[in-house]
């Protein structure tokens, strides 16, 4: 289940960037060639963040389609099925433009300071 190790590394990256702030949401770009199942990813995210400060952060998955550029005619295409030639000129010299992404694009944090009269701000006794 490579989704779990993926979520574990995403959680590590986010934790580092959040630097103690409360993370509300994590936006992740996943290229279609990564063969990641969205439901599995969401499920693994819950497991990977359970009992961590990220437990309440939602994972927002942005799927990036497979895009190719033909070096012969410069046409760009988005592929829904694997294919071996350019639909425009039937050329085979293709450059894979997108589809292999795996990036945390942004995280949302709630860094509103706790008001001084809020119970959470009072010293614990
Ligand atoms: Zn072409």
């Amino acid at each position: 289940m490579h989704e779990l190790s993926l979520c574990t590394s995403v959680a590590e990256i986010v934790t580092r960037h959040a630097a103690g702030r409360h993370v509300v949401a994590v936006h992740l770009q996943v290229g279609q060639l990564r063969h990641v199942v969205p439901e599995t990813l969401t499920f693994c995210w819950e497991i990977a963040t359970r009992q961590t400060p990220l437990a309440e952060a939602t994972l927002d998955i942005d799927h990036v389609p497979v895009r190719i550029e033909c070096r012969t005619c410069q046409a760009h295409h988005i592929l829904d099925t694997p294919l071996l030639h350019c639909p425009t000129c039937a050329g085979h010299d293709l450059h894979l433009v997108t589809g292999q992404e795996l990036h945390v694009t942004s995280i949302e944090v709630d860094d509103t300071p706790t008001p001084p009269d809020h119970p959470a701000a009072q010293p614990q006794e």
Side-chain angles (χ1 to χ4, degrees):
M1 208 201 300
H2 77 298
E3 280 89 350
L4 185 57
S5 56
L6 194 153
C7 284
T8 308
S9 31
V10 167
E12 280 167 14
I13 294 167
V14 171
T15 305
R16 204 158 54 228
H17 284 270
R21 290 170 299 174
H22 180 233
V23 179
V24 183
V26 175
H27 300 277
L28 185 71
Q29 261 193 350
V30 181
Q32 257 175 16
L33 289 180
R34 290 283 171 170
H35 301 293
V36 159
V37 183
E39 291 76 21
T40 312
L41 200 60
T42 309
F43 177 70
C44 291
W45 175 251
E46 285 168 17
I47 296 173
T49 58
R50 187 175 293 163
Q51 292 171 352
T52 75
L54 294 176
E56 284 167 25
T58 55
L59 186 66
D60 178 49
I61 306 162
D62 178 20
H63 288 274
V64 183
V66 180
R67 181 189 292 271
I68 52 128
E69 179 188 3
C70 173
R71 291 195 172 107
T72 306
C73 74
Q74 275 75 52
H76 278 244
H77 293 280
I78 291 188
L79 308 182
D80 12 339
T81 51
L83 109 180
L84 302 167
H85 64 268
C86 166
T88 303
C89 73
H92 290 267
D93 189 8
L94 308 177
H95 167 60
L96 183 64
V97 181
T98 63
Q100 291 183 300
E101 287 78 4
L102 195 57
H103 309 301
V104 176
T105 49
S106 63
I107 61 175
E108 289 171 32
V109 296
D110 174 12
D111 53 5
T112 318
T114 309
D117 57 347
H118 190 277
Q122 300 301 317
Q124 298 294 311
E125 298 179 3

